[in-house]
């Protein structure tokens, strides 16, 4: 939504109920400056957002606002704009930056923390749900190290849109309330190659029931600060997993194991969804893994276009491809192992956590099979179906078929008379499929035969497949087009994409062009096929 002048509805802003449990119950860093430093035995530092020169509301999510009880007038009020820009605090806000560590690209990186995220407080909405508000890009904190605590428009816009797009796809994620540009410049060397440039600054207000990450636990275990580790674990269980911890009055091995298994299952479900829609997170470091199994920290993420398990959008990871599409389940499990090592310090018999890792493997396989059956429109997975998949994936890769379009168009295949033409047209190959055309036709025959075995009504299968295969995803080039326009001062495309991504499984024939294959110009363009951690 483009900012307009409306009468501020102070009523709905004043109604926001804050209950800042994290700040109230956990140990704080006694120092209050933003000077970079190591912070010991504390879960967070008090810090004020740094005001910006000329904030402007570029976009906001109506669904997220409604969840918080905020109407359009409240979102467009001067008070709200200032709060979303970090220029003022609303009554009840107690800003802080959390201390956490993490394993980055497979190695322990020590203290990281909210270097450019400042939480404002926890809102309890009218339904009793807890939502923490966090500004990303609101200025330096003790965890900023040598960086500036700011964020650029391109990365903020990508985080804003993708958070909401993922939510509407039915994928667990942190949310986004607003996107504000700051009217200030931020200098970034996008590809770390000695070409720094001034870019427009922006702030996203993201929202989640909890922003606690695996790394919040790892930092205390790494420093043998076991008392704080225990406090944080007990706090997280009570605040974020109340059902699990009901009936317990303290931590026990059994409780930690059931908690860890729950985290493992949530993580498995999240990654299975990523794989279903072709999402590549890009930086699956343990500081970017949510304890609630939410997709968090949208940076150099991307969406598969031509199906390629080795693909990663992140140029920083181009050498090893640790975080490419096909590795995501394995990496999630590795990250859970890091969390298990941290929680082990709280247990008498930590080896039982192995069961939690097994819970990840089991949940992931189950979810992946169920989702694959849905993508293919099979009533249920049955013996022999692995063969169908074992042939399909290499074919998708070699024939360079667009993952999203392929699965969506598969819905229209008539099992009585399967025709590969519409599927073949999703290929990015210039040679018109050459030898892969025959393989595709053969696979389709086998698939059609399998579908005939189910003997279900076409409309039933179609509903199942459409619900598993989105037509609209936030393709990298679509986000980049919105960025290019926004950089030139035209914010209309943000709103348009937000509208379309609200109903990703619907046909929306009026927006057909947004479901198109990646255009040629985007295949080697920064922001479309190449992204970096610089944001
Ligand atoms: P990321 O790779 O975005 O997950 O960031 C890793 C760590 O670097 C986190 O602790 C961030 O808070 C921090 N960080 C990233 N960019 C900045 C920045 N511009 N200013 C301060 N800290 C940053
Ligand atoms: Mg991060």
């Amino acid at each position: 939504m483009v900012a307009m002048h409306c009468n501020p509805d102070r009523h709905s802003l004043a109604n926001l109920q804050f209950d800042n449990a994290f700040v109230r119950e956990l140990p704080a860093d006694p120092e209050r400056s933003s000077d970079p430093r190591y912070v010991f035995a504390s879960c967070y530092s008090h810090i004020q957002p740094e005001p910006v020169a000329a904030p402007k509301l570029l976009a906001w999510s109506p669904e997220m606002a409604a969840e918080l009880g905020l109407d359009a007038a409240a979102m467009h009020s001067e008070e709200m704009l200032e709060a979303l820009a970090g220029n003022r605090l609303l009554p009840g806000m107690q800003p802080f930056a959390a201390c956490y560590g993490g394993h980055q690209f497979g190695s322990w990186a020590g203290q990281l923390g909210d270097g450019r995220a400042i939480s404002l407080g926890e809102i309890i909405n009218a339904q009793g749900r807890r939502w923490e508000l966090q500004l990303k890009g609101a200025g330096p904190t003790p965890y900023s190290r040598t960086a500036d605590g700011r964020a650029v428009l391109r990365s903020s816009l990508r985080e804003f849109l993708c958070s909401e797009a993922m939510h509407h796809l039915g994928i667990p994620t942190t949310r986004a309330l607003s996107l504000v540009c700051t009217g200030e410049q931020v200098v970034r060397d996008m590809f770390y190659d000695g070409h720094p440039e001034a870019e427009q600054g922006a702030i996203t207000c993201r929202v989640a029931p909890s922003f606690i990450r695996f790394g919040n636990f790892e930092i205390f275990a790494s420093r043998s600060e076991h008392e704080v580790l225990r406090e944080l674990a007990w706090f997280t269980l009570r605040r974020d997993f109340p059902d699990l911890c009901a009936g317990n009055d303290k931590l026990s091995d059994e409780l930690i194991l059931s908690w860890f298994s729950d985290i493992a299952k949530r993580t498995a479900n999240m990654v299975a969804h990523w794989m279903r829609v072709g999402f590549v997170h890009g930086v699956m470091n343990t500081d970017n893994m949510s304890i609630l199994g939410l997709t968090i920290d949208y940076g150099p993420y991307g969406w598969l276009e031509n199906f390629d398990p080795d693909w990663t959008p992140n140029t920083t990871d181009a050498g090893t491809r640790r975080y490419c599409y096909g590795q995501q389940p394995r990496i999630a499990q590795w990250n859970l192992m890091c969390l298990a090592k941290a929680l082990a310090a709280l247990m008498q018999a930590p080896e039982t956590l192995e069961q939690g890792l097994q819970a990840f493997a089991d949940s992931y396989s189950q979810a992946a099979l169920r989702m694959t059956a849905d993508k293919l429109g099979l009533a249920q997975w049955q013996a022999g179906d692995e063969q169908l998949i074992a042939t399909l994936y290499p074919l998708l890769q070699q024939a360079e078929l667009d993952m999203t379009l392929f699965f969506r168009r598969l819905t229209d295949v008539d099992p009585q008379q399967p025709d590969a033409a519409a599927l073949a047209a999703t290929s990015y190959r210039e040679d018109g499929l050459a030898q892969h055309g025959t393989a595709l036709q053969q696979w389709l025959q086998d698939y059609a035969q399998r579908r005939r075995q189910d003997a279900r009504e076409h409309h039933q299968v179609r509903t199942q497949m459409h619900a598993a295969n989105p037509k609209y995803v936030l393709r990298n080039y679509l986000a980049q087009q919105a960025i290019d326009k926004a950089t030139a001062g035209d914010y209309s495309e943000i709103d348009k994409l937000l509208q379309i991504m609200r109903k990703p499984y619907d046909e929306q024939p009026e927006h057909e062009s947004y479901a198109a294959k990646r255009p040629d110009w985007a295949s080697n363009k920064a922001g479309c096929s190449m992204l970096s951690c610089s944001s």
Side-chain angles (χ1 to χ4, degrees), residues 100 104 112-117 136 140 143-145 147-151 188 213 283 285 287-288 297 299 533 535:
Y100 54 80
Q104 296 188 316
L112 298 166
D114 287 332
R116 54 154 164 194
K136 187 165 174 182
Y143 310 100
S144 300
R145 294 173 285 167
D148 57 8
R150 293 294 183 193
R188 289 288 182 271
R213 303 141 189 270
V283 204
N285 293 331
D287 51 307
N288 293 339
D297 275 11
C533 288
S535 54

Side-chain angles (χ1 to χ4, degrees), residues 488-509:
D490 174 357
Y491 307 112
S492 58
E493 197 64 15
I494 309 176
D495 202 28
K496 179 137 198 215
L497 282 175
L498 190 60
Q499 293 281 1
I500 297 170
M501 299 305 154
R502 222 176 239 152
K503 294 186 169 141
Y505 300 100
D506 287 7
E507 284 298 327
Q508 304 188 69

Side-chain angles (χ1 to χ4, degrees), residues 441-458:
Q441 188 62 47
Q442 182 56 53
W443 180 84
L444 201 58
Q445 298 287 355
D446 296 342
Y447 167 70
Q449 188 186 20
R450 170 66 184 82
R451 280 270 306 275
R452 291 197 297 271
Q453 285 172 18
D454 280 351
R456 291 158 79 211
E457 295 285 345
H458 186 63

Side-chain angles (χ1 to χ4, degrees), residues 1-5 56-60 76 491-492 495:
M1 304 256 156
V2 177
M4 310 179 289
H5 277 289
K56 186 171 162 191
L57 182 66
L58 304 186
W60 57 283
H76 286 289
Y491 307 112
S492 58
D495 202 28

Side-chain angles (χ1 to χ4, degrees), residues 152-174:
V152 291
L153 177 59
R154 65 183 150 83
S155 66
S156 307
L157 187 156
R158 282 168 50 84
E159 173 141 17
F160 172 80
L161 280 180
C162 202
S163 307
E164 293 305 282
M166 292 289 266
H167 167 71
H168 293 297
L169 281 163
I171 302 178
T173 178
T174 61

